[in-house]
Amino acid sequence: MSETSTLHRILDYSARADPYPLYAELRKTPVALQEDGSYVISTYREITDILHNPHLSSDVRNLSRPTPAAERRDTPSFINIDPPEHDRLRRLAMRHFGPPCTPGLVTGMQPQLTEIVSSLIDDFANTQLVDIVDDFAYPFPVTVICHLLGVPRDDEPRFHQWVNAIIDSLDYDPKTDPPEKLNLGAQATDDLHQYLGGLLEPRHDRPGDDLLSRLANDDGPDGRMTDEEIISTANLLLIAGHETTVNLITNGMLTLLRHPHVLQRLRDEPDLIVRLVEELLRYEPPVHIVPWRAAYSDITIADTVIPKGSQIMLMLASGSRDPDRFDDPDRFDPDRQDNQHLGFGSGIHLCFGGPLARLETQIALSELVRRLDRPRLVTDPPPYRPSPVLRGPIHLHIEQS
Amino acid sequence: MSSAHTLQGFKRDGRIAIVGASLAGLRAAEALRGEGFTGSLTMIGDELGEPYDRPPLSKQVLTGWVPTDGTKLPRRRDIDAQWLLGVPASGLDLATNHVHLADGNEVAFDRVLISTGVRARPWPVEAEASLDGVFVVRTRGDADGLQQALAAGPSRVLIIGAGFTGSEIASICRERDISVTVAELGPAPLVGALGAMIGDVAADMQRAHGVDLRCGVKVTQLEGDAQGRLCRAHFSDGSTVDADVAVVALGGIRNTDWLQDSGLAVGVWGIACDSGCRAFDLNGLVTDDVFVAGDVARCPHPVYEYRFISLEHWANAVEQADIAAHNMVNAQADRWPHLAIPAFWSIQFGVNIKSVGVPTFADEVVVTQGSVPDHRFVAAYGYQGRVTAAVSFNNAKWLDHYRKLIETAAPFPPPCPTPDQPVDAKPVPVDFPGPVLLSQGATVVVTGHDPSERHVTAVRTHR
């Protein structure tokens, strides 16, 4: 079985429910050259090494053969660019989200997060059949990110479709996928940009608390983002806030239901939640793959020279299950020590919203476990979303007494 | 303690004394319990109170943000120790395995860990050092006193010595909008640790933030008024500065005085030990029952030609404590070497400075990423064509890559371009001034090969 086919089998929908045995197969070749000239990296040390390697680029312009799904806009968001521009944009965004300029924001959201969670659970507390995704894990982070950005919650049905189309196009494969998949993604990207531009426009010279207003009226030492930069940043945060935490919460509930003794422990020891969420980020992370990076110059890793311009795919979820780094990696163990997982990536592109995702998931799982009455999985495995990159159930039906 | 049987007995009910109850001592004690040591553990420390963290004392404590009693070190496990605090050790008798304390008491041990660290080098003229307003910063009490003096709104603060501690305190003064003069005998701040190129950047940063930086001068006299309060300082160039607070930041003195008659390889750079933290005696023979960790240890490093290196780094204290503890309760075959690549950080004038490797073990330096004028960059240090260290200004997330280059003796200068390519990427001589030209002590010192060497130069260049 060649490595190429291992990767293709991972990307194939049939592997969605349990890609982990295929990751183990992939790890036999830590840095694997594919038929199309790209490289797949699947072991922990090689992934962390390359994520700290200054010769790795996130800018599509450094690929010798640009990927079809790559962002085509003139102003990419900071996830898709390199220093120094990346550092400037991320710093400008972080000024309004975390330390050192806004240290208390995420912690200060705790009461509000708990309130949203409680009210969502109230709605299904007396229902026997619950879909954890539609009834809870999706609406919760979406409400939070909308509030944070200043996007009207009522517009959700509109941008939900765009975001879905964009996510679908992320893993576009010209060999197997119809071109519409890519075109729909491109159209949705344009629509979402236009929509966010419309929200930004009236915020100029009107200071407010939401992120769009703050970015539009910023006067920090680095100056202000251009409108295009603000839209790109808001676009990134909206998609990331939309499509990742939902999977983390859902994967969390699924994992707890598959490990009833841990679920019971969480009921008895609520403080367990902090380490439990870290283990979840290792064991069932919401982001499985960094679909592409580029070798800015030749990169030597694990005795392999990756030539300049090559496309590199990073299998984060595989790295977090690497037995050379984690003892008994396929065991879900909330007591695990030294748990430096790759759930939020590593290096300069380490997840921007990680602190918020952590808190959201901690509150969500704690409250679900506290309030659901003897929950049981209806189907195991549940049906999954199409994406191998942002992987998670599309529905998680549970029954309660 | 050669047989497995004896070792098991020692782990079960042996006696371990740890002299020096700060970061290294506490972490070693925790690691010993983690290794399954259930015998008696005695912690001896000259300071009263629980072990605390020192890096905040020149940073968050001085801004007034963190109170001094908010710096207690977190406890990772219960160490079930007998604490003898407030009395320094005064001697070590290896014939009978006793630690002597200054109050006349003594502590018997089977194995001992020495982690007595460093104390601040005081102002050399005692009458001037005792003027009101003259400070050193090493202990919690020191930082408390200086914080109060800064809060009182002094007209000007004089910092003597522009190493890391002095530069960080100068930064805090500017943050609190206090006028500050920095006097440095060398040609630039941080130059003893990081060389001339970075020294120039540090000098720019200080001046851009309104520091009155004076390099190449020596403070010759601290003058007091009739009430015994500091009022003026005199410089070697004939000038004077009126100041009501002076911070003496002239580096540290290793706390080894109490070991002068111990027969151990003790010198100004600390106690020589092997990479497993076992102390050497004066003859350069390794001892079995005496271990060393933290600022007071001087340890050979294979990456740096097995030269002995003394480090005053937080991470080194932690890593070395773990190694020492492991080796204290394991047989020779299971011993670990302390091979971590040194690393440290500083924050000053809004810039995070971080380093891996030993910058003083270098002959050339090159900017590899970023922009020096913008104070965001990485510089790599090379010694005879291989990478030996790197320093970052607001670019710390790349340093793991450079650590790897150091560990693998990668060629210097690193060949390939990066997206954030500096304008000028040509190596320049690293240019460290001799130790005589520094007013502050270096925090990393390469001290040569001889384990009992008493008189060494800070940096030896072998060509």
Side-chain angles (χ1 to χ4, degrees):
Chain A
M1 194 68 69
S2 79
E3 292 307 324
T4 310
S5 64
T6 306
L7 178 66
H8 276 165
R9 282 194 289 152
I10 288 168
L11 300 181
D12 191 87
Y13 184 71
S14 60
R16 210 64 76 241
D18 186 14
Y20 298 104
L22 290 169
Y23 291 160
E25 201 174 306
L26 203 55
R27 282 193 301 268
K28 289 177 189 163
T29 313
V31 181
L33 174 61
Q34 306 296 304
E35 270 174 0
D36 65 356
S38 68
Y39 289 79
V40 172
I41 304 185
S42 55
T43 45
Y44 182 88
R45 291 191 196 285
E46 281 64 35
I47 292 171
T48 48
D49 277 1
I50 203 156
L51 284 172
H52 289 92
N53 190 317
H55 308 290
L56 186 76
S57 170
S58 295
D59 191 329
V60 65
R61 287 164 290 194
N62 293 319
L63 287 171
S64 45
R65 288 182 305 152
T67 59
E71 208 169 341
R72 282 160 304 259
R73 306 199 71 83
D74 298 334
T75 312
S77 59
F78 57 74
I79 199 173
N80 285 334
I81 49 177
D82 296 326
E85 271 303 278
H86 161 272
D87 296 5
R88 183 182 70 88
L89 290 172
R90 182 165 166 136
R91 199 163 53 232
L92 280 168
M94 192 55 91
R95 275 170 55 74
H96 310 288
F97 185 71
C101 299
T102 318
L105 182 113
V106 170
T107 319
M109 288 172 73
Q110 183 146 10
Q112 188 198 349
L113 300 181
T114 308
E115 198 184 301
I116 301 169
V117 162
S118 299
S119 113
L120 285 168
I121 299 180
D122 287 344
D123 290 345
F124 59 73
N126 298 315
T127 316
Q128 201 185 354
L129 200 63
V130 181
D131 180 357
I132 289 295
V133 177
D134 286 353
D135 297 342
F136 184 76
Y138 178 76
F140 171 41
V142 168
T143 305
V144 175
I145 194 69
C146 285
H147 175 82
L148 200 63
L149 278 172
V151 170
R153 180 68 176 81
D154 293 344
D155 290 349
E156 185 272 329
R158 290 173 71 197
F159 57 72
H160 185 190
Q161 284 184 4
W162 299 328
V163 171
N164 271 350
I166 293 169
I167 299 300
D168 276 351
S169 69
L170 280 184
D171 57 301
Y172 172 76
D173 182 340
K175 280 185 221 133
T176 53
D177 289 330
E180 298 88 78
K181 184 167 158 178
L182 192 60
N183 297 338
L184 282 173
Q187 182 61 49
T189 306
D190 289 343
D191 291 344
L192 187 52
H193 269 72
Q194 207 166 4
Y195 169 74
L196 289 169
L199 293 179
L200 175 62
E201 188 51 41
R203 282 173 160 79
H204 287 301
D205 304 316
R206 277 193 213 158
D209 269 347
D210 61 69
L211 207 52
L212 278 172
S213 301
R214 284 163 173 264
L215 291 172
N217 298 284
D218 195 8
D219 283 309
D222 284 307
R224 190 179 293 176
M225 286 188 192
T226 64
D227 280 5
E228 272 300 304
E229 288 168 346
I230 294 175
I231 293 168
S232 287
T233 303
N235 179 65
L236 170 67
L237 300 184
L238 186 64
I239 295 177
H242 222 81
E243 289 300 318
T244 53
T245 315
V246 52
N247 291 340
L248 184 58
I249 294 171
T250 311
N251 291 344
M253 200 58 215
L254 175 63
T255 303
L256 285 172
L257 291 169
R258 284 171 174 172
H259 298 82
H261 57 290
V262 181
L263 192 149
Q264 187 54 46
R265 256 189 83 189
L266 183 56
R267 282 208 176 108
D268 301 338
E269 316 163 33
D271 289 349
L272 186 66
I273 191 64
V274 174
R275 275 176 294 145
L276 189 147
V277 169
E278 293 314 298
E279 175 67 347
L280 198 55
L281 282 158
R282 185 194 71 81
Y283 181 81
E284 282 278 23
V287 180
H288 273 231
I289 301 171
V290 173
W292 68 268
R293 293 282 175 96
Y296 185 82
S297 41
D298 290 0
I299 296 177
T300 305
I301 194 130
D303 299 325
T304 304
V305 178
I306 301 178
K308 175 182 174 174
S310 302
Q311 184 185 338
I312 300 168
M313 186 181 266
L314 303 175
M315 310 301 280
L316 297 182
S318 166
S320 288
R321 294 272 191 124
D322 185 345
D324 282 347
R325 174 60 180 81
F326 298 100
D327 291 334
D328 204 357
D330 294 327
R331 200 166 88 86
F332 179 66
D333 174 13
D335 296 320
R336 191 176 288 277
Q337 300 291 310
D338 189 24
N339 192 357
Q340 289 201 43
H341 56 74
L342 299 173
F344 290 133
S346 189
I348 64 164
H349 291 281
L350 181 80
C351 180
F352 181 91
L356 177 60
R358 273 196 173 106
L359 188 61
E360 285 175 333
T361 309
Q362 288 166 6
I363 293 172
L365 293 179
S366 297
E367 288 300 295
L368 281 177
V369 160
R370 195 173 65 84
R371 294 192 51 193
L372 289 175
D373 185 14
R374 280 166 291 167
R376 298 171 299 281
L377 278 175
V378 174
T379 45
D380 190 7
Y384 274 79
R385 292 162 189 277
S387 175
V389 175
L390 308 177
R391 172 185 167 273
I394 196 161
H395 297 291
L396 186 69
H397 293 291
I398 61 162
E399 244 180 332
Q400 61 170 339
S401 306
Chain B
M1 217 166 296
S2 48
S3 77
H5 178 73
T6 321
L7 182 68
Q8 282 315 311
F10 169 68
K11 266 181 91 164
R12 192 176 58 244
D13 48 30
R15 299 163 301 171
I16 289 180
I18 295 182
V19 190
S22 191
L23 178 62
L26 176 65
R27 285 301 189 101
E30 290 175 341
L32 282 168
R33 293 303 189 202
E35 292 270 350
F37 176 70
T38 54
S40 78
L41 194 53
T42 307
M43 304 288 291
I44 299 165
D46 62 346
E47 287 188 68
L48 284 169
E50 287 187 50
Y52 58 90
D53 209 21
R54 294 184 200 272
L57 300 185
S58 57
K59 306 176 183 74
Q60 295 88 341
V61 167
L62 293 186
T63 61
W65 181 32
V66 174
T68 39
D69 62 6
T71 60
K72 265 185 234 160
L73 283 167
R75 298 298 187 86
R76 301 192 306 170
R77 62 167 71 235
D78 183 17
I79 59 169
D80 185 24
Q82 186 193 2
W83 294 80
L84 301 177
L85 297 179
V87 180
S90 58
L92 181 66
D93 184 343
L94 292 178
T96 63
N97 278 3
H98 279 81
V99 177
H100 297 286
L101 302 184
D103 64 4
N105 283 321
E106 50 185 39
V107 176
F109 62 83
D110 299 312
R111 280 190 165 159
V112 63
L113 175 70
I114 300 169
S115 52
T116 42
V118 164
R119 65 182 180 276
R121 183 179 300 281
W123 184 245
V125 184
E126 215 172 303
E128 296 176 16
S130 61
L131 289 171
D132 275 354
V134 178
F135 295 89
V136 292
V137 177
R138 182 74 197 176
T139 67
R140 190 153 53 180
D142 296 338
D144 223 5
L146 179 58
Q147 200 285 122
Q148 285 170 31
L150 296 182
S155 62
R156 178 168 292 273
V157 173
L158 168 69
I159 313 267
I160 307 171
F164 283 101
T165 306
S167 298
E168 286 176 3
I169 297 170
S171 169
I172 298 293
C173 288
R174 293 310 300 141
E175 203 177 308
R176 298 187 71 153
D177 205 22
I178 297 166
S179 302
V180 58
T181 297
V182 172
E184 165 60 47
L185 188 54
L190 311 185
V191 70
L194 303 178
M197 193 204 76
I198 305 278
D200 287 347
V201 181
D204 280 352
M205 276 178 11
Q206 297 213 359
R207 294 200 167 107
H209 282 83
V211 173
D212 169 31
L213 174 65
R214 304 182 183 199
C215 295
V217 295
K218 191 171 179 169
V219 175
T220 52
Q221 190 203 340
L222 296 175
E223 184 186 331
D225 62 14
Q227 286 75 44
R229 289 188 304 243
L230 173 73
C231 61
R232 189 168 297 118
H234 297 260
F235 293 141
S236 53
D237 62 1
S239 62
T240 61
V241 152
D242 289 350
D244 30 20
V245 170
V247 181
V248 180
L250 297 175
I253 299 173
R254 287 172 172 77
N255 290 317
T256 56
D257 324 41
W258 65 290
L259 296 169
Q260 286 311 326
D261 301 322
S262 64
L264 294 176
V266 173
V268 291
W269 302 120
I271 305 146
C273 59
D274 73 356
S275 72
C277 303
R278 289 181 297 179
F280 286 112
D281 73 9
L282 265 179
N283 297 312
L285 289 171
V286 74
T287 56
D288 283 330
D289 299 327
V290 184
F291 291 75
V292 197
D295 291 357
V296 79
R298 206 185 137 216
C299 170
H301 202 302
V303 168
Y304 300 101
E305 297 182 341
Y306 294 92
R307 293 198 215 177
F308 284 82
I309 294 176
S310 299
L311 299 163
E312 294 177 47
H313 298 165
W314 190 94
N316 181 65
V318 169
E319 289 154 355
Q320 213 167 18
D322 274 350
I323 301 285
H326 174 87
N327 292 343
M328 287 178 91
V329 293
N330 280 282
Q332 173 72 27
D334 300 320
R335 286 202 166 130
W336 292 343
H338 174 51
L339 300 179
I341 300 293
F344 73 87
W345 82 96
S346 170
I347 177 99
Q348 46 185 277
F349 305 103
V351 173
N352 167 286
I353 302 175
K354 203 166 171 185
S355 158
V356 288
V358 178
T360 48
F361 194 92
D363 44 33
E364 286 188 310
V365 59
V366 64
V367 180
T368 50
Q369 289 175 251
S371 154
V372 173
D374 294 344
H375 301 157
R376 43 155 218 95
F377 64 90
V378 183
Y381 291 69
Y383 177 70
Q384 297 190 344
R386 68 178 168 106
V387 179
T388 52
V391 170
S392 66
F393 275 47
N394 278 348
N395 259 272
K397 284 196 170 169
W398 298 113
L399 286 187
D400 268 4
H401 174 68
Y402 291 86
R403 182 175 49 73
K404 194 101 181 174
L405 295 183
I406 297 164
E407 283 170 350
T408 56
F412 177 91
C416 301
T418 69
D420 196 8
Q421 193 64 9
V423 180
D424 189 3
K426 269 204 294 291
V428 297
V430 70
D431 197 8
F432 284 102
V436 189
L437 267 180
L438 292 174
S439 51
Q440 86 284 0
T443 55
V444 190
V445 186
V446 182
T447 64
H449 292 281
D450 177 357
S452 71
E453 205 168 5
R454 282 169 185 275
H455 303 287
V456 290
T457 51
V459 185
R460 180 190 297 183
T461 42
H462 262 314
R463 292 191 195 248

